[in-house]
Amino acid sequence: MRDASANANAKRAAGEAAAELVKDGMVVGLGTGSTVAWTIRRLGERIQEEGLQLLGVPTSYQAENLAIDSGIRLTTLNQNPVLDLAIDGADQVDEDLMVIKGGGAAHTREKVVACSARRFVIVADEGKYVKRLNHAVPVEVLPFAVRLVEQRLMDMGGAPLLRLGKMKDGPVITDNGNFLIDVDFEEIADPRGLAARISSIPGVVEHGIFDNLDELYLARAAGVEIIKKRG
Ligand code: 5RP
């Protein structure tokens, strides 16, 4: 078990390393969470130090606020539908580079942004790298449909739990105005198959299984390892 400061250092190392991927003139998707926050801050420093020119597309209010504080100019997917690069964090990544995201309830916009990018990079500490995914899968759902979705997820063998707010009574409300269900499927043998089944439930807005990762920046004790998609 790593201590908290080693974990924080690992997040910072991975996040800052990926910031070096950004070149002048790029349009970049800016992910959500504490690891990619280091990427966003480092991009702000590079703007100050080198005069780096970039436009960012934020995946959440958190990313938007941090990008503004870091001096990054923002744009939208309507103005720039194809991004050069998207960088984001993850809750878990397996050896086939399948990913679970949504710990910050932002996976719907994160997936739209990642799928709009020519290259999708994840930054993570090595505690998140596993042989097989077993993290609970976040599912964003229309509030109107929550009971139906919960029942269908149970029929699929999952254990759904409505995510509740901290410092806010009742359910978490996503940046899109929806509810979020965390679904424990224990070890996930077929992430792509599970993803397709969850997507087919009426009322599901988006789930947190991502299958489009190109490169993982993984902070290990010895340094940041870059793991690329096979083939
Ligand atoms: C937000 C996410 C985050 O990227 C994920 O939860 C990782 O966060 P952190 O870098 O803080 O561990 O998917 O929806």
Side-chain angles (χ1 to χ4, degrees):
M1 184 81 170
R2 306 176 63 135
D3 65 37
S5 80
N7 203 41
N9 289 342
K11 286 181 180 220
R12 179 172 189 164
E16 291 191 341
E20 300 310 311
L21 292 170
V22 178
K23 309 290 178 226
D24 247 349
M26 280 189 170
V27 186
V28 181
L30 304 172
T32 299
S34 57
T35 314
V36 75
W38 288 110
T39 311
I40 297 173
R41 288 189 203 99
R42 180 68 197 127
L43 289 173
E45 288 171 2
R46 289 190 60 203
I47 290 168
Q48 290 292 316
E49 291 165 6
E50 308 161 26
L52 177 71
Q53 301 277 340
L54 79 135
L55 286 173
V57 175
T59 53
S60 63
Y61 292 126
Q62 184 222 30
E64 181 176 332
N65 289 339
L66 183 57
I68 290 167
D69 290 348
S70 304
I72 298 174
R73 286 169 57 212
L74 297 178
T75 184
T76 66
L77 286 179
N78 286 341
Q79 289 165 302
N80 287 278
V82 181
L83 310 182
D84 297 292
L85 174 68
I87 306 174
D88 209 332
D91 298 304
Q92 209 168 51
V93 183
D94 76 9
E95 292 177 354
D96 295 323
L97 297 194
M98 294 294 293
V99 183
I100 294 180
K101 288 184 52 51
H107 61 275
T108 298
R109 292 191 194 197
E110 290 174 328
K111 193 176 283 188
V112 173
V113 168
C115 289
S116 301
R118 293 196 185 95
R119 185 178 178 192
F120 176 38
V121 172
I122 288 253
V123 289
D125 56 275
E126 70 177 338
K128 292 173 171 172
Y129 190 53
V130 294
K131 200 166 180 52
R132 273 207 179 167
L133 298 176
N134 60 10
H135 193 279
V137 179
V139 178
E140 182 164 350
V141 54
L142 291 177
F144 175 75
V146 67
R147 295 288 174 218
L148 172 72
V149 175
E150 282 175 338
Q151 186 55 55
R152 294 285 179 96
L153 291 166
M154 284 191 281
D155 295 345
M156 290 167 51
L161 194 65
L162 186 66
R163 196 181 293 182
L164 299 179
K166 293 199 173 108
M167 311 280 287
K168 185 256 178 208
D169 292 334
V172 162
I173 308 295
T174 70
D175 288 1
N176 312 308
N178 296 313
F179 288 177
L180 199 135
I181 304 171
D182 291 297
V183 197
D184 187 1
F185 290 98
E186 300 182 347
E187 200 169 86
I188 302 173
D190 174 15
R192 279 198 178 82
L194 180 63
R197 290 169 69 203
I198 299 173
S199 292
S200 73
I201 302 172
V204 165
V205 177
E206 193 52 79
H207 58 75
I209 300 174
F210 287 49
D211 67 355
N212 62 327
L213 177 59
D214 295 306
E215 264 163 74
L216 171 63
Y217 274 52
L218 187 67
R220 296 191 185 273
V224 178
E225 183 185 351
I226 301 170
I227 301 171
K228 298 193 180 192
K229 188 162 70 182
R230 281 187 287 246

